[in-house]
């Protein structure tokens, strides 16, 4: 590779030497742009910002001796800067909004999307909204949902709303109801599960929760919505306390684990549900009643996704 030549607008041109012939352009750019994440490399190639012999190329293009690589001036993402949000993900999050005003956003979060980045996840809901709502400087999650749980999730746009909702959550002002498809015949008389929960971190770093007398008090109220013979039951779950994985662990403790739960579920039951097309955790934050600062109550419901609806239809067949 010869020394780069620069133009007045900051574009650099590199000529490929015979020693580098055969190397893929994406691998070359990763060496040239040290520290740049793969997603950044593929994005600038896809958008045609980097060109070879004045033409667009794909990431697997292999360099040839004498090729001229055009590299425009660019700002690399900072080390802790989140990955850029794709248009598809931005559109998905915009479409998920079920309520928005000057102080609050509520979305129907799709299953499989984390609420925040970390643990191998570069982008979560909050990072996406901070990028697609750049004018909202104080966006914060009001509460959390597990990555594989779908449904209603609140994002405060102002710190005053965040404080108001946290106070309401600490009391009994917020009413959250979930739907869950559980194994077997849930008795109508089993209206609540009260069992203390304790968090444990495994060597792998995975967080697990178990019923333990030394844990924190936890109470979940349950109501039968529909039965599918003795095979499965659709229940409503209201977590009176807000412990990590509370509904999932209480359902398992009751002997009726949730379909598709990789941590606390029954694999044989989950496999039968998957065979019906149900490839997801069947836990959904379905309704939310929230007191607003002006004294009004915000009442919201969120529909389930097509996978959930189609699976229950097949159970009915």
């Amino acid at each position: 590779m010869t020394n780069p030549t620069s133009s007045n607008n900051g574009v650099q041109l590199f000529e490929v030497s015979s020693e580098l012939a055969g190397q893929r352009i994406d691998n070359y750019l990763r060496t040239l742009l040290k520290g740049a994440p793969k997603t950044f490399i593929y994005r600038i190639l896809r958008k045609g910002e980097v060109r070879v012999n004045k033409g667009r190329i794909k990431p697997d293009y292999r360099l040839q001796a004498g090729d001229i690589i055009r590299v425009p001036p660019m700002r690399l993402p900072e080390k802790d800067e989140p990955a850029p949000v794709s248009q598809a993900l931005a559109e998905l999050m915009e479409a998920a909004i079920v309520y928005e005003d000057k102080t609050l956003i509520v979305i129907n979060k799709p299953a499989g999307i984390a609420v925040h980045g970390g643990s191998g996840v570069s982008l979560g809901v909050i990072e996406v909204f901070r990028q697609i709502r750049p004018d909202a400087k104080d966006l914060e999650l009001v509460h959390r949902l597990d990555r594989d749980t779908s449904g209603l999730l609140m994002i405060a746009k102002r710190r005053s709303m965040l404080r108001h909702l946290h106070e309401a959550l600490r009391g009994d002002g917020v009413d959250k109801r979930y739907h869950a498809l559980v194994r077997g015949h849930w008795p109508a008389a089993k209206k609540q599960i009260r069992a203390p929960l304790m968090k444990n971190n495994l060597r792998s770093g995975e967080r697990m929760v178990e019923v333990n007398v030394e844990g924190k008090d936890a109470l979940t109220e349950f109501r039968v919505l529909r039965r599918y013979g003795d095979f499965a039951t659709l229940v409503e779950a209201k977590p009176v306390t807000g412990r990590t994985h509370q509904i999932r662990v209480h359902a398992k403790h009751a002997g009726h684990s949730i379909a598709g739960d990789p941590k606390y579920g029954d694999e044989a039951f989950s496999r039968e549900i998957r065979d019906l097309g149900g490839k997801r955790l069947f836990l959904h934050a379905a309704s939310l009643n929230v007191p607003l600062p002006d004294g009004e109550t915000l009442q919201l419901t969120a529909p389930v996704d097509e996978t959930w609806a189609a699976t229950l239809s097949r159970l009915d067949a």
Side-chain angles (χ1 to χ4, degrees), residues 158-201:
R158 293 183 181 172
R159 295 194 180 278
S160 57
M161 177 58 84
L162 183 66
R163 290 192 297 269
H164 169 79
L165 292 176
H166 278 174
E167 184 176 346
L169 285 165
R170 283 192 293 270
D172 57 0
V174 177
D175 187 315
K176 293 187 291 182
R177 309 275 175 128
Y178 294 73
H179 289 179
L181 182 68
V182 302
R183 186 188 70 173
H185 184 283
W186 185 291
K190 190 179 290 184
K191 297 184 183 298
Q192 64 174 231
I193 301 295
R194 183 163 222 142
L197 300 179
M198 176 176 283
K199 287 187 284 189
N200 291 311
N201 289 321

Side-chain angles (χ1 to χ4, degrees), residues 274-286:
R274 284 198 301 272
D275 289 343
L276 295 172
K279 297 180 180 179
R280 60 157 294 169
L281 170 67
F282 279 78
L283 182 61
H284 176 71

Side-chain angles (χ1 to χ4, degrees), residues 20 22-34 36-46 50 52 57-63 69:
L20 291 177
Q23 185 177 25
R24 285 174 49 136
I25 183 65
D26 56 349
N27 291 333
Y28 167 74
L29 290 173
R30 290 178 66 188
T31 300
L32 180 69
L33 306 173
K34 292 187 183 299
K38 286 184 179 180
T39 52
F40 179 78
I41 297 295
Y42 294 140
R43 180 166 61 88
I44 61 177
L45 286 169
R46 184 178 67 251
V50 172
V52 175
I57 69 287
K58 294 183 178 180
D60 60 357
Y61 173 81
R62 294 192 178 275
L63 298 172
I69 303 173

Side-chain angles (χ1 to χ4, degrees), residues 122-238:
S122 59
L123 282 173
V125 170
I126 190 62
E127 288 86 9
V128 172
F129 272 95
R130 283 170 178 163
Q131 290 192 45
I132 66 177
R133 291 287 192 279
D135 294 336
K137 303 300 184 182
D138 295 321
L139 286 180
E140 294 288 350
L141 292 167
V142 175
H143 59 113
R144 299 183 181 187
L145 291 178
D146 294 337
R147 179 176 182 175
D148 295 326
T149 300
S150 57
L152 294 167
L153 177 71
M154 295 184 285
I155 305 168
K157 297 170 77 173
R158 293 183 181 172
R159 295 194 180 278
S160 57
M161 177 58 84
L162 183 66
R163 290 192 297 269
H164 169 79
L165 292 176
H166 278 174
E167 184 176 346
L169 285 165
R170 283 192 293 270
D172 57 0
V174 177
D175 187 315
K176 293 187 291 182
R177 309 275 175 128
Y178 294 73
H179 289 179
L181 182 68
V182 302
R183 186 188 70 173
H185 184 283
W186 185 291
K190 190 179 290 184
K191 297 184 183 298
Q192 64 174 231
I193 301 295
R194 183 163 222 142
L197 300 179
M198 176 176 283
K199 287 187 284 189
N200 291 311
N201 289 321
L202 306 180
R203 287 184 182 177
S204 63
E206 183 180 14
R207 176 181 290 178
M208 296 290 287
V209 178
E210 64 179 8
V211 173
N212 189 307
V213 293
E214 297 180 0
K216 294 181 178 179
D217 180 54
L219 172 63
T220 309
E221 296 176 350
F222 289 92
R223 180 170 67 93
V224 172
L225 297 176
R226 184 162 190 175
R227 289 199 178 88
Y228 300 92
D230 289 331
F231 174 64
T233 308
L234 182 67
V235 298
E236 177 189 84
K238 177 185 176 182

